[in-house]
Amino acid sequence: MKRIACLALFLASACASPGAPAIPPPPEGNTPSIADVIAASKPEEWRRLDPENTLYMDFPQGRVIIEMAPEFTPNHVANVRALSREGHFVNGAVTRVQDNFVSQWAQAADPPRPPKIGKETLKAEFWIPRSTQVEFTTLPDPDTYAPEVGFSKGFPVASDGTRMWIAHCYGVVGVGRDVSVDSGGGTELYAVIGQSPRNLDRQLSVLGRVVQGMEILSALPRGTGDIGFYKTPEEYQRYADIKVAADVPEAERTNLEVMRTDSASFATMVNGRRWRRDDFYTDPIGRIGLCNVMVPSRPVSG
Amino acid sequence: MKRIACLALFLASACASPGAPAIPPPPEGNTPSIADVIAASKPEEWRRLDPENTLYMDFPQGRVIIEMAPEFTPNHVANVRALSREGHFVNGAVTRVQDNFVSQWAQAADPPRPPKIGKETLKAEFWIPRSTQVEFTTLPDPDTYAPEVGFSKGFPVASDGTRMWIAHCYGVVGVGRDVSVDSGGGTELYAVIGQSPRNLDRQLSVLGRVVQGMEILSALPRGTGDIGFYKTPEEYQRYADIKVAADVPEAERTNLEVMRTDSASFATMVNGRRWRRDDFYTDPIGRIGLCNVMVPSRPVSG
């Protein structure tokens, strides 16, 4: 009896994101593909990356592009910009790749050169008040870790009703720290490369997310030292620099636009994935997880 | 008001796995590490892998060890055993690596040699009845995709109250198929290498899970063709064979034991991860996702 009552509750989604709308019904017939939704979207449903908030991390394998989230971690974003501008990230290295967890990078030099203009450490920015007037388009689907989840300008976000924070989904970039909560600053960063480690939520400052190039960070050889650190500097995976896009000559920029997560096309795409039904998917599940939503991006045309 | 009521409901976990116990309270003080829990566990809380249900996939980089799940997909497990024994998997290749999704393997030959004793295709085994008398240790934590989740002999499992199936968590191994639901058989297999693609649940037959060697499958170069297929056979990532452990001379076996997911130590470990608190984790979240639980394994001693 309890099982049936709770199943009904689950299906009615009564406990999903509070205040969020109920889960929309499935579209008629087959669901649209992501390509279909993109093709039908309007130009105003896309947002061009701001070069001041965009980082390029250039590996021999290609470019990793990170969008920073100044609404969530303003001081860390400003500090990483300052660190980049003083050349702190030149000739850096991925020093740790722990399978199903994170790739982490820092200066290759040991000890690292201390920053001159940027700061080594900052006060933690783990969350912002829920009342903050930032975009927050909630998902009605239930989440294991938080009563309210959704998107804010492309970032996956969770809230407990009082606070809100960027959730540790695949591709999210955070600020490494030591034991003290105020010991990070941006000289060491990491990207999530496996199952979303949501227990990191609210324990670390989140700088942004990788918009392009995750396949570079996720396919690096796993470190064989403790918690995935490479045992020797010879194993380090080098990158040339981390540059603010605004500081790169226009001809060398990668201009991307991201589908607005408060747009009708994004909602259509999410609902199509939630109820995915096509020649292959025959038993739609009617739910989608926060970290299972991929936010479309593409080169700016023209 | 609605937000507060639902938040209370969320915290009380009223809608978590039906029939499951409430979320246990946090342990006093710091939570034990996984190493602590393993050190304190009893020998009878471990289960040795059955060589008849264990596959070795030997890459130049090392051995991938897969435990098969005959209680969920008996015909596919028997067929993969038969295919292995007739040499169908000799000189195979990973032919597809799609970032944040799957690594998939098959014969390197195109067209593949048809099986002689094993079958090319079988009737789908996407789920089993919930009433089946298999072990099912439920988690009280809410899940996005199913009203009931937990573990069955180390496999992550979900249920809708009527059916149960292995959930597509990191490391789960499934049976590739074409559009027809009955077009798979085991000649092509895949492993999940990113965020759990739970919308695959109940759409594919799940053969088992990787117990050791995921870092080999997850760090392979991503394919640049459509949906991650390698564009040329030169890019294929080769393995020597897939062998049933029982067919390998004892001296060449990797004998592993897995912590029993119905044991007290496993419950202690899960609750420690759920409420993780130590020098670094200062703001325990009190929840854990099905696919965030790692089932400990270790070499058989003596």
Side-chain angles (χ1 to χ4, degrees):
Chain A
M1 189 62 190
K2 190 184 171 203
R3 177 175 300 161
I4 289 164
C6 268
L7 178 58
L9 215 51
F10 178 84
L11 293 173
S13 204
C15 310
S17 303
I23 287 176
E28 298 257 332
N30 282 357
T31 48
S33 70
I34 293 175
D36 291 340
V37 176
I38 291 174
S41 66
K42 296 173 189 155
E44 62 268 27
E45 293 184 309
W46 296 78
R47 180 178 53 81
R48 195 170 168 150
L49 292 192
D50 177 352
E52 276 288 323
N53 287 327
T54 305
L55 301 175
Y56 295 156
M57 188 178 177
D58 285 324
F59 284 87
Q61 305 93 305
R63 178 170 280 180
V64 172
I65 302 178
I66 297 165
E67 182 177 19
M68 297 194 286
E71 292 184 312
F72 288 85
T73 46
N75 298 328
H76 285 79
V77 167
N79 196 46
V80 166
R81 240 188 246 120
L83 289 167
S84 172
R85 285 173 177 161
E86 69 169 272
H88 186 80
F89 297 121
V90 172
N91 296 327
V94 174
T95 55
R96 174 192 183 197
V97 184
Q98 184 174 358
D99 193 55
N100 193 21
F101 194 44
V102 296
S103 289
Q104 185 172 320
W105 54 93
Q107 284 202 348
D110 184 22
R113 305 181 299 276
K116 295 178 206 109
I117 301 161
K119 305 287 183 203
E120 182 86 42
T121 64
L122 291 173
K123 200 163 156 25
E125 294 178 304
F126 294 169
W127 47 269
I128 59 174
R130 171 69 180 84
S131 58
T132 308
Q133 294 305 308
V134 299
E135 177 196 319
F136 188 16
T137 306
T138 54
L139 284 179
D141 311 76
D143 179 75
T144 297
Y145 290 91
E148 195 175 31
V149 294
F151 287 87
S152 180
K153 296 189 181 169
F155 298 105
V157 167
S159 168
D160 60 6
T162 305
R163 305 172 290 177
M164 60 194 293
W165 56 86
I166 296 180
H168 277 79
C169 294
Y170 189 85
V172 156
V173 175
V175 175
R177 65 168 170 91
D178 293 326
V179 166
S180 157
V181 294
D182 298 329
S183 60
T187 58
E188 289 203 37
L189 299 168
Y190 62 87
V192 171
I193 63 164
Q195 173 68 19
S196 48
R198 295 281 304 280
N199 61 333
L200 294 181
D201 287 7
R202 308 188 328 258
Q203 322 270 357
L204 289 146
S205 304
V206 172
L207 187 79
R209 71 179 187 96
V210 175
V211 176
Q212 186 175 300
M214 261 311 291
E215 72 284 0
I216 297 172
L217 293 172
S218 65
L220 296 173
R222 277 49 181 155
T224 56
D226 194 32
I227 60 168
F229 277 97
Y230 291 125
K231 283 181 174 165
T232 64
E234 287 68 41
E235 296 168 89
Y236 286 176
Q237 300 288 315
R238 308 276 171 158
Y239 53 88
D241 197 0
I242 302 175
K243 278 195 168 307
V244 179
D247 301 343
V248 171
E250 286 210 29
E252 294 165 31
R253 291 191 199 165
T254 309
N255 294 313
L256 296 180
E257 57 185 8
V258 174
M259 185 180 277
R260 293 180 62 110
T261 45
D262 60 352
S263 69
S265 284
F266 185 73
T268 299
M269 187 204 79
V270 168
N271 205 44
R273 305 304 281 184
R274 177 185 287 129
W275 292 103
R276 188 164 179 181
R277 185 171 52 201
D278 51 34
D279 292 345
F280 190 89
Y281 288 79
T282 56
D283 188 4
I285 213 156
R287 291 287 182 284
I288 194 159
L290 175 69
C291 295
N292 290 91
V293 177
M294 302 286 279
V295 179
S297 64
R298 65 183 181 188
V300 173
S301 56
Chain B
M1 189 62 188
K2 190 184 169 203
R3 179 175 298 161
I4 290 165
C6 268
L7 178 59
L9 215 52
F10 179 84
L11 293 172
S13 204
C15 310
S17 304
I23 288 176
E28 299 254 334
N30 281 356
T31 49
S33 71
I34 294 176
D36 292 339
V37 175
I38 291 174
S41 66
K42 296 174 187 152
E44 61 268 28
E45 293 184 306
W46 296 77
R47 181 179 51 81
R48 195 171 169 150
L49 292 192
D50 177 351
E52 275 290 320
N53 287 328
T54 305
L55 301 175
Y56 295 156
M57 189 177 177
D58 285 323
F59 284 86
Q61 304 94 305
R63 178 170 280 180
V64 173
I65 302 178
I66 297 165
E67 181 177 20
M68 297 193 288
E71 291 184 312
F72 287 85
T73 45
N75 298 328
H76 285 79
V77 167
N79 195 48
V80 166
R81 240 187 247 121
L83 289 167
S84 171
R85 285 173 176 160
E86 69 169 272
H88 186 79
F89 297 120
V90 173
N91 298 327
V94 175
T95 56
R96 174 192 182 196
V97 184
Q98 184 174 359
D99 193 55
N100 193 21
F101 194 45
V102 296
S103 288
Q104 184 171 320
W105 54 93
Q107 284 203 347
D110 183 21
R113 304 181 301 276
K116 294 180 206 107
I117 300 160
K119 304 289 183 203
E120 183 85 43
T121 64
L122 291 173
K123 200 164 157 24
E125 293 177 305
F126 295 167
W127 48 268
I128 59 175
R130 171 67 181 87
S131 58
T132 307
Q133 294 306 306
V134 299
E135 176 195 320
F136 188 16
T137 305
T138 54
L139 284 179
D141 311 77
D143 179 76
T144 298
Y145 289 91
E148 195 175 30
V149 294
F151 286 88
S152 180
K153 296 187 181 170
F155 298 104
V157 166
S159 169
D160 60 6
T162 305
R163 305 172 289 177
M164 61 194 293
W165 57 87
I166 296 180
H168 277 78
C169 294
Y170 189 85
V172 155
V173 175
V175 175
R177 65 167 170 91
D178 293 325
V179 167
S180 157
V181 293
D182 298 329
S183 59
T187 57
E188 289 202 36
L189 299 167
Y190 62 88
V192 171
I193 62 164
Q195 173 68 18
S196 49
R198 296 280 305 280
N199 61 333
L200 293 180
D201 286 7
R202 308 187 329 257
Q203 322 270 358
L204 290 146
S205 303
V206 172
L207 188 77
R209 72 180 186 98
V210 175
V211 177
Q212 186 175 299
M214 261 312 290
E215 72 284 359
I216 297 172
L217 292 171
S218 64
L220 296 173
R222 278 45 180 157
T224 55
D226 192 33
I227 61 169
F229 277 97
Y230 291 126
K231 282 181 174 165
T232 64
E234 288 68 40
E235 296 168 90
Y236 285 176
Q237 300 289 315
R238 308 277 171 157
Y239 53 87
D241 198 359
I242 302 175
K243 278 194 168 308
V244 179
D247 300 343
V248 171
E250 287 208 29
E252 295 165 30
R253 291 189 199 167
T254 308
N255 293 313
L256 296 179
E257 57 184 8
V258 173
M259 186 180 276
R260 293 179 63 110
T261 45
D262 60 353
S263 69
S265 285
F266 185 73
T268 299
M269 186 204 79
V270 168
N271 205 43
R273 305 304 280 185
R274 178 185 288 129
W275 292 103
R276 188 164 178 180
R277 185 172 52 199
D278 52 34
D279 292 345
F280 190 89
Y281 288 80
T282 56
D283 188 6
I285 212 155
R287 292 285 183 283
I288 193 160
L290 175 69
C291 295
N292 290 92
V293 177
M294 301 287 279
V295 179
S297 64
R298 64 183 182 188
V300 173
S301 56

